[in-house]
Amino acid sequence: MKNFSKLICALAVTILLAACTTSKSTVSQNVNLSKYEYAAVINNDPYHIPAELMEYEIQLYDAVENSNLKLVSDAHIHDLSSVQQEKLLLVKYAVNVMQEETIVTVNFIDYFTGRPVASCRGAYSTLGVAGASHDIKGAIKRVAKQISETFSK
C-alpha cells in the first residue's frame, strides 16, 4: 500500500510538470502576416539539425509548407522579383532537447528589414519516460500546429 501511494504521488507530480509544458506563438503587433507568401528556410550551422535527426528536419519543412507559405530555396532568393522578396520570410529554427521537455522554436523574419515578425514554439514532454525521439516528434507536431494557426488565412 505504501508503494502504491508513492506511485500515485509520483504520477500526480509528473502530470503537473507535463501540464506546464506550453506551446505558443508570438506575433509582432505592427505586422500584417497576410502579406507574406514565401518562406526560405535558412539552413546554416546555428540553424541545422544533425544528420541523425534528418527525419525531424523534413517534418519542420512540412510544417512551414503546410502554413500556406510557398517554400523557396535560400539559394534562389535572388531569383525572386523585388515584389516577391517583399513577401518573403526567412525561417530559422532551433531544437532544444532537455530531460524535462523538448522545445522546437521556428522564427519568421522579414527578408527586407531583418525584423522578426513571428515566433512559434512547440513544447512536449514525457519527462524522459518515452525517450527523446518521441518528445521531438511531439514538439514538432505542436510547433506545426502553432505555425498553421499563426499563418492561416
Side-chain angles (χ1 to χ4, degrees), residues 49 52-62 95 132-134 136-138 140:
I49 292 178
E52 62 271 15
L53 301 177
M54 182 58 75
E55 67 180 286
Y56 305 116
E57 189 170 35
I58 292 168
Q59 293 171 355
L60 281 170
Y61 273 77
D62 288 348
V95 177
S133 65
H134 183 75
I136 292 171
K137 285 179 186 176
I140 289 174

Side-chain angles (χ1 to χ4, degrees), residues 59-132:
Q59 293 171 355
L60 281 170
Y61 273 77
D62 288 348
V64 172
E65 195 170 40
N66 290 337
S67 69
N68 296 322
L69 295 169
K70 296 175 191 129
L71 278 179
V72 176
S73 167
D74 57 349
H76 293 285
I77 290 173
H78 298 293
D79 295 340
L80 297 174
S81 71
S82 60
V83 172
Q84 289 172 316
Q85 288 177 351
E86 288 178 16
K87 299 175 182 181
L88 174 65
L89 288 170
L90 300 178
V91 181
K92 297 181 179 183
Y93 59 85
V95 177
N96 189 1
V97 179
M98 300 171 287
Q99 186 173 3
E100 313 82 57
E101 68 181 346
T102 297
I103 300 171
V104 176
T105 306
V106 181
N107 298 311
F108 297 86
I109 301 160
D110 184 277
Y111 174 72
F112 268 126
T113 65
R115 183 186 197 287
V117 297
S119 180
C120 299
R121 174 186 191 266
Y124 191 83
S125 179
T126 59
L127 296 172
V129 174

